[in-house]
Amino acid sequence: MKKLNCLFIFIFCVFAFLGCSTHINVRVNRPAEVDLSFVETIAIIPFAEDPSFWDYVLFGTDEYKISKYFTSRLETKLSNTEYFKVVTTSKEYGTIPPCDAYISGNIHSLNTNIKQKERIVKDEKTQTEKKIIEFFRVLEFSISYRIIDQSTGNVLKKFEDSFSLTSEYESEKSKVPTACDLAKSELNDVISDLIRKITPYTTSKSISLLKDKSKNSQMEYADSLVKEGNLVLAYNEFMKVYETTNMFEAGYNCACILEAQNKYEEAETFLQDLYNKTGNSKALDLLKDVQYEIKQRDKLIQQNRNRGLN
C-alpha cells in the first residue's frame, strides 16, 4: 500500500509539473544518421545466405517467407521515400544490378513451433468447470543486414536485431498465425527504423518554458501569448521584463522562443551571455540543446548539397 501511495504521489507531481509549464511544439528536420547523400540508386538483395539459390533452396520455409516479405516491403517503403531510386534485383541469378549502393542480409537463428496450454474455465450458466486447450506460436529469429558501397565494396553500416515473439492464444490450432504473420509487425518496425537512419526526416519536439513563481503580471501576459501561438509578441514581452528586472526566467523564455523560430545563432549568443551572468545550469542545458540543433541543421544542409538540393 505504501508503494502504491508513492506511485500516486509521483504521478500527481508529474502532472502538476506539466500543468505549470508552457510548451512550444515545433517540427524539426533531421539529417540521415547514415550519410548516403552520395547514393542515388540503391538495390535490395534478397535476404538469404546465398541469393543465387534464394528461390530454390529456401522456397516454402519460414525463412523464405519472412525473407521475401522483408525484401518486398523494404523495396516498397524505400521507393515511397523518393530519396533513392530503387533498382530491381534479378532474383534468379542473385546478381547485383548497377547501383550506387545495395542492402543485403539474412534471416537466421530461426526457431518456431506451436505450443498448447490447458486452462480451467467456468461455465457461467451451469457453474461447472471444464478444461480447455489453447494454442499459440512462439518464434525466435535474428535479422542481420548491411549497406554496401557498390563501387568499393566497403560496408557503410551494419545492423542486427533479434526477436522473441509469442502469439495470442487461440481455441483452434488452425487459427494460430504463421511465423511470417507473427513477425510482420516487428519487421515493419525494423524497416521504419532503417529508413529513418538512412534518409532525412521530420520529427516533433517540445520546448518547455520556465514558469514565473513571482506572479509577475507581464510574465503571465507573455506566457498567455505563447499559448495563443503569438511568439513575436510574447518574445517582446519577455524581453521587456528581462531588460528591466534581469529575471532569469524571462531571459530563458526569450531563448526558447528564438529556438522555436529556428534563430539558433541568436539563441546561442543570448544563452551564452545569460549563463555567464547567472551561472544557472538551465541556461547551459538549453545552450547545449541549441548547439545540437545547429549541428543537425548544418549536417542536413551538407547532405542536401551533396545531392544537389537547396
Side-chain angles (χ1 to χ4, degrees), residues 84-269:
F84 304 107
K85 179 182 178 182
V86 179
V87 181
T88 303
T89 305
S90 171
K91 296 181 176 65
E92 183 177 355
Y93 299 104
T95 56
I96 301 170
C99 58
D100 297 321
Y102 61 92
I103 301 174
S104 70
N106 58 12
I107 307 295
H108 59 92
S109 305
L110 189 147
N111 181 36
T112 184
N113 56 77
I114 296 176
K115 295 186 176 183
Q116 63 184 54
K117 179 181 180 180
E118 291 185 352
R119 189 161 63 92
I120 304 297
V121 296
K122 191 172 185 179
D123 190 304
E124 296 296 332
K125 292 182 178 180
T126 63
Q127 294 298 304
T128 59
E129 293 182 342
K130 64 177 181 178
K131 183 188 297 185
I132 64 170
I133 298 177
E134 294 178 315
F135 302 89
F136 62 98
R137 180 181 293 279
V138 292
L139 170 65
E140 295 180 348
F141 70 96
S142 296
I143 179 169
S144 303
Y145 52 104
R146 52 204 172 274
I147 305 170
I148 300 172
D149 186 334
Q150 167 77 311
S151 62
T152 64
N154 292 335
V155 176
L156 303 174
K157 193 73 175 180
K158 294 191 295 186
F159 305 92
E160 179 158 355
D161 291 290
S162 296
F163 304 97
S164 180
L165 310 174
T166 302
S167 72
E168 299 289 336
Y169 291 94
E170 302 290 350
S171 59
E172 299 177 22
K173 193 173 184 179
S174 61
K175 293 181 179 180
V176 175
T178 65
C180 185
D181 285 339
L182 181 57
K184 283 181 179 179
S185 177
E186 299 296 337
L187 294 175
N188 291 341
D189 289 342
V190 170
I191 291 170
S192 296
D193 185 57
L194 172 60
I195 290 176
R196 173 165 285 200
K197 284 182 169 69
I198 65 177
T199 62
Y201 63 96
T202 302
T203 188
S204 299
K205 178 178 180 177
S206 183
I207 303 172
S208 300
L209 277 65
L210 293 181
K211 189 72 175 178
D212 170 38
K213 298 178 181 179
S214 68
K215 304 297 182 182
N216 181 296
S217 60
Q218 199 170 358
M219 286 286 288
E220 290 181 352
Y221 174 58
D223 191 75
S224 69
L225 290 172
V226 172
K227 291 177 180 177
E228 293 172 3
N230 198 332
L231 298 185
V232 174
L233 286 180
Y235 176 84
N236 292 336
E237 292 300 320
F238 280 130
M239 184 56 72
K240 289 177 184 177
V241 176
Y242 180 66
E243 289 176 341
T244 55
T245 67
N246 286 321
M247 183 186 295
F248 174 79
E249 290 82 1
Y252 183 94
N253 291 349
C254 283
C256 287
I257 292 175
L258 290 173
E259 181 183 5
Q261 294 173 322
N262 298 332
K263 297 178 180 178
Y264 298 132
E265 280 77 12
E266 192 174 341
E268 181 183 31
T269 301

Side-chain angles (χ1 to χ4, degrees), residues 286-298:
L286 186 59
L287 174 61
K288 291 177 180 178
D289 183 63
V290 168
Q291 290 171 335
Y292 172 78
E293 292 299 336
I294 292 174
K295 290 179 180 178
Q296 291 289 291
R297 180 204 61 193
D298 292 346

